[in-house]
Amino acid sequence: FLYSSVYQAPKMATINFPYLGQPIQPNHNFSNYIPLGGNRYSEYVNGENPYTITKSITHQSDEVARSRLVHVENAMKHAWNGYKTHAFGHDELLPQSKHYQNNWDGMGVTLIDSLDTLWMMDLKNEFWECRDWVKEHLSHDIDKFVSTFETTIRSLGGLLSAYDMSGDEIFLERADDLGSRLLKAFDSPSGIPYGQVNLKSGEASNLPWIGGEVAILAEFGSLQIEFRYLAQATGKTEYAEKAERVFELMKEIELSHGLYPVFVANTKERPFFATNIISFGSFADSIYEYMLKIWLQGGKVENMYREMWDRSVQGMHDHLLLKSTPSGLRYIAGLKPNTAQDKKENTLAYDRSMDHLACFMGGKCNRGRFFLHVYHFEFLWF
């Protein structure tokens, strides 16, 4: 949904901006911090901005942010030192018992998932130590079912991020190995990937805890950035073709309002929606996130992803954006089958709650506004 002109909030009197805070000293004691609680920022409730952000305010805000950097870095160092001391090379740290667990059979999931953060925070010694572990110890030859989704976004994504930042070929080699194993999950009759795959045998199936006949929208819709990048880096087009086919299939069966039910049956030749439940939270969230990101990744020329994003945001705006009572705050609801005794056949009712996983949409719409020059964060309020 494209606006012909930029939204202008109603003019209000300029008030001194009250949310800058003070720069934080390097030795600040956070143990004395008292949470400020809710019921703040009430002046924004209708989407209006009573403040004029001047260069001076921006400069002060930047200074506060810079003073916080050392504490963010210290928090990362604290967390990393705990992992390194008690669980290095293992999948997960158990911080209370100071032990570890290997739910991915020792693929070093936490280590791989942390590589890009270590690099960006200039913790290069820690990064190269991890690189050596990847070269000497990382193996994906695991005779166990793993989540297609989790392994893609954490392990494959982590390796590819490390390769993109450092240029070290060992990360790409390991990513190619893992990607070739994960690709077996796409060999369903419909082309919508299975939710789990055995990394050694290549056997794949849907997740048994949701019945074994359906795939989860958020999971199969959040693989494309990683596989497309892997295809570009290796020259193996099959990675991109199979991942992109998923969105092509969703485009073929999309509903008129641009919103997607959370479960899709994928064991027949043609996929179909297996529920009426619609959400921007759990089971759905990241497919909407990836629509915009894939379009950006491809240089903003692949119109299908842009169109799917446009329609889904318009559908959310038209059908799911509600106002709470009595506070009058906007939130993104869901849709679920109507269970009332007087329900009409095939009708839906609002799920009048906002899943915490749906909170990404504020930032995502702002990102859309920045890159598309037509979306505006303010639209969420009207």
Side-chain angles (χ1 to χ4, degrees):
F1 72 116
L2 307 180
Y3 292 104
S4 59
S5 61
V6 175
Y7 166 80
Q8 297 290 333
K11 295 292 184 180
M12 300 183 66
T14 301
I15 306 172
N16 290 332
F17 189 72
Y19 301 119
L20 281 174
Q22 297 297 320
I24 302 174
Q25 297 302 313
N27 61 348
H28 183 80
N29 183 5
F30 286 94
S31 65
N32 298 323
Y33 176 73
I34 300 175
L36 299 178
N39 299 315
R40 293 177 291 147
Y41 313 112
S42 59
E43 66 271 35
Y44 291 106
V45 70
N46 291 317
E48 300 168 347
N49 182 7
Y51 310 115
T52 298
I53 306 301
T54 64
K55 289 184 178 180
S56 175
I57 290 175
T58 300
H59 175 74
Q60 293 177 63
S61 177
D62 289 346
E63 289 300 312
V64 172
R66 292 189 186 99
S67 75
R68 295 171 176 171
L69 287 176
V70 63
H71 301 291
V72 175
E73 184 176 339
N74 287 340
M76 175 60 186
K77 287 179 177 178
H78 171 78
W80 182 255
N81 287 335
Y83 173 73
K84 179 180 177 180
T85 301
H86 303 291
F88 188 81
H90 297 283
D91 292 332
E92 295 166 319
L93 169 68
L94 302 175
Q96 291 188 335
S97 65
K98 298 181 180 179
H99 199 57
Y100 59 82
Q101 61 185 16
N102 286 321
N103 287 333
W104 278 265
D105 272 18
M107 285 169 50
V109 174
T110 294
L111 184 151
I112 301 299
D113 205 7
S114 302
L115 287 168
D116 54 352
T117 302
L118 292 171
W119 183 274
M120 288 188 292
M121 299 188 75
D122 201 30
L123 300 175
K124 295 300 196 302
N125 290 336
E126 292 83 351
F127 177 89
W128 293 117
E129 184 179 15
C130 293
R131 181 266 183 198
D132 291 342
W133 183 90
V134 169
K135 181 179 180 180
E136 297 169 8
H137 301 289
L138 179 60
S139 172
H140 300 123
D141 195 34
I142 295 172
D143 190 11
K144 181 178 181 178
F145 280 95
V146 299
S147 165
T148 306
F149 165 68
E150 293 285 353
T151 308
T152 296
I153 65 170
R154 298 186 66 185
S155 295
L156 183 60
L159 290 167
L160 291 173
S161 295
Y163 169 69
D164 187 69
M165 292 177 177
S166 71
D168 195 305
E169 290 290 333
I170 192 63
F171 295 119
L172 182 59
E173 291 175 17
R174 296 294 187 269
D176 190 16
D177 173 67
L178 178 57
S180 67
R181 298 169 188 268
L182 290 169
L183 200 64
K184 303 293 177 55
F186 289 83
D187 293 338
S188 71
S190 64
I192 300 296
Y194 292 115
Q196 61 179 6
V197 59
N198 185 301
L199 293 180
K200 186 177 182 69
S201 69
E203 181 184 357
S205 64
N206 287 322
L207 298 169
W209 60 270
I210 52 172
E213 297 297 322
V214 299
I216 298 173
L217 183 69
E219 294 197 353
F220 66 72
S222 305
L223 311 172
Q224 289 66 31
I225 291 174
E226 292 81 357
F227 276 97
R228 280 159 53 101
Y229 183 85
L230 183 59
Q232 184 273 328
T234 62
K236 299 177 181 179
T237 59
E238 185 182 20
Y239 286 133
E241 291 165 355
K242 288 197 171 184
E244 290 170 345
R245 179 59 180 155
V246 172
F247 269 76
E248 294 168 1
L249 290 167
M250 288 297 96
K251 180 67 175 175
E252 291 175 6
I253 65 172
E254 69 178 354
L255 303 178
S256 59
H257 47 48
L259 304 175
Y260 297 82
V262 299
F263 297 133
V264 172
N266 64 340
T267 59
K268 306 295 183 183
E269 183 175 352
R270 179 175 172 80
F272 58 90
F273 295 117
T275 183
N276 291 326
I277 298 173
I278 289 176
S279 169
F280 268 77
S282 56
F283 299 133
D285 51 351
S286 49
I287 190 173
Y288 300 108
E289 177 185 349
Y290 268 47
M291 290 174 186
L292 181 59
K293 285 184 175 180
I294 297 169
W295 181 70
L296 294 172
Q297 182 190 42
K300 299 185 284 189
V301 297
E302 297 164 292
N303 291 333
M304 181 186 72
Y305 303 109
R306 164 71 186 273
E307 291 168 1
M308 293 175 77
W309 166 254
D310 288 351
R311 288 172 55 81
S312 66
V313 174
Q314 182 67 63
M316 180 272 290
H317 183 273
D318 290 344
H319 300 287
L320 301 181
L321 196 63
L322 304 181
K323 182 180 286 189
S324 66
T325 303
S327 60
L329 299 175
R330 291 289 185 179
Y331 68 99
I332 302 173
L335 293 175
K336 60 183 180 180
N338 192 342
T339 58
Q341 292 184 353
D342 60 348
K343 69 177 181 179
K344 297 180 180 179
E345 186 176 2
N346 296 326
T347 61
L348 296 175
Y350 279 118
D351 177 1
R352 295 181 179 274
S353 63
M354 185 169 175
D355 190 325
H356 71 285
L357 292 174
C359 293
F360 79 97
M361 274 301 290
K364 181 56 61 174
C365 288
N366 195 40
R367 186 175 178 85
R369 176 201 60 80
F370 181 82
F371 284 104
L372 304 177
H373 306 295
V374 291
Y375 287 129
H376 311 288
F377 182 75
E378 294 88 348
F379 91 89
L380 277 173
W381 308 100
F382 297 94

